[in-house]
Amino acid sequence: MRIALAGLATSHPYTDARTLRDDAELVVWEPDPQRLARFRAEQPDAAVAPDLAALLATDPDGVVLTVPTSEVPEALAQVLERKLPCFVNKPAAATVGQLDRLERVVARAPELVLSSSVLRFAPEFVAFDVPRDEVLSVRATVRHDVGLWATGYNPWQDDPAVGGGTLVMMGLHGVELLVALLGPAVRLVGAAGTVRRHRGLHSEDTGLLAVQWDDGVPGTVEVLGVSEGEAYEVTVHTAAGERRVVLRGGADELGYRATIDAFVGMVRGAPSPVPWAQTRAVLDVLTSARAVA
């Protein structure tokens, strides 16, 4: 099995490669020499391609795509032209315009596209179950410090027009968990963002998204980009009280390995385990929030 890593724009594909390397031959393309050098130091056996076209010409069995969000539609189009299963590291779209472009591409083969927060596949979340008719309201809390962006690291992630900033990059985790739990029939009610500590950001370090499902269930996503630790929490309110799951720990606990296992299943012929309707709902909430916050 040969897996192509198309881009190393975030930390995620480095983790993905560590999961894949025992079972797959790796081929990588990344235009940034420092990122590529870091990858080659970790994965000295991986072959290197000079550009995306050359990468795809190596005839991979599947592609892990991690480029700046604004570049995803055009890169994904090249992957789908070869009918290859593709895992798009989050987020696949950060603005309404990006999502419009992405939808036209995914429509060619939605069963070949997986794009999700890894948290959807976290073992503790997979085991978390509350009967839908018992749910009164829901809340997701995302704690992931974004102070590094204030130093100028990966500026495209902090740019609301390119990567969506904290509201999109970190808010995605909370929205993904709630859509996985309650389904895609959801819309944005309101959103707000502010800078509370990390001066120098182009986006926010703290935010809130309010959503509502078609049956009336309300929900909130708290985005706390000023945090001493990384953790993700979902609270479901029922008449009997609260049900809660908290996700923290390493790659296995947060779902990285299980996500790659799901992607490998696609490489072996299974359709995407996350229907595009759910991914579309997540991205619609996030891009709508970015437009109004």
Side-chain angles (χ1 to χ4, degrees):
M1 178 171 61
R2 177 179 296 146
I3 301 298
L5 292 114
L8 305 169
T10 69
S11 63
H12 285 237
Y14 297 89
T15 305
D16 298 337
R18 289 191 287 272
T19 304
L20 285 162
R21 63 186 173 191
D22 291 336
D23 301 307
E25 175 188 348
L26 302 182
V27 187
V28 64
W29 157 70
E30 165 56 42
D32 183 273
Q34 290 185 322
R35 288 186 172 277
L36 181 58
R38 173 190 164 190
F39 184 88
R40 295 185 72 180
E42 292 186 14
Q43 309 294 342
D45 294 330
V48 177
D51 53 40
L52 180 56
L55 182 77
L56 297 176
T58 64
D59 294 325
D61 298 296
V63 178
V64 176
L65 180 62
T66 318
V67 295
T69 311
S70 58
E71 300 173 16
V72 168
E74 289 71 23
L76 181 60
Q78 294 184 55
V79 175
L80 295 185
E81 283 175 4
R82 291 179 172 265
K83 298 182 171 54
L84 294 172
C86 186
F87 170 43
V88 183
N89 266 308
K90 64 92 179 175
T95 69
V96 173
Q98 289 176 12
L99 182 54
D100 287 345
R101 288 159 49 210
L102 179 67
E103 278 219 279
R104 292 194 291 271
V105 172
V106 174
R108 304 175 188 178
E111 73 282 359
L112 294 179
V113 180
L114 168 62
S115 187
S116 172
S117 165
V118 296
L119 299 178
R120 173 190 283 263
F121 296 94
E124 286 192 59
F125 180 74
V126 172
F128 183 67
D129 182 44
V130 180
R132 184 68 170 78
D133 59 359
E134 295 182 12
V135 177
L136 300 177
S137 67
V138 291
R139 180 179 73 246
T141 303
V142 176
R143 294 182 176 88
H144 191 129
D145 198 275
V146 298
L148 193 59
W149 293 348
T151 69
Y153 175 82
N154 259 19
W156 68 268
Q157 290 185 290
D158 182 37
D159 186 338
V162 180
T166 300
L167 205 62
V168 172
M169 279 280 166
M170 299 307 166
L172 179 140
H173 295 298
V175 178
E176 183 87 42
L177 291 172
L178 296 187
V179 168
L181 194 66
L182 298 183
V186 64
R187 64 185 176 88
L188 182 78
V189 176
T194 186
V195 175
R196 296 296 297 158
R197 179 170 299 176
H198 295 312
R199 308 299 171 185
L201 287 173
H202 294 287
S203 64
E204 54 283 302
D205 62 16
T206 306
L208 181 71
L209 293 80
V211 298
Q212 188 168 35
W213 278 262
D214 284 358
D215 63 355
V217 172
T220 56
V221 177
E222 301 171 309
V223 184
L224 304 176
V226 181
S227 175
E228 292 184 359
E230 179 182 356
Y232 309 88
E233 179 178 320
V234 173
T235 301
V236 178
H237 297 279
T238 72
E242 295 181 351
R243 295 279 304 279
R244 179 179 291 108
V245 60
V246 180
L247 308 175
R248 57 166 60 93
D252 289 356
E253 291 82 1
L254 293 180
Y256 285 86
R257 180 173 295 277
T259 303
I260 291 300
D261 288 345
F263 168 62
V264 170
M266 293 173 61
V267 173
R268 292 172 175 160
S272 173
V274 181
W276 176 248
Q278 291 202 17
T279 300
R280 174 65 171 80
V282 172
L283 295 177
D284 184 63
V285 167
L286 292 167
T287 57
S288 298
R290 184 70 282 164
V292 303

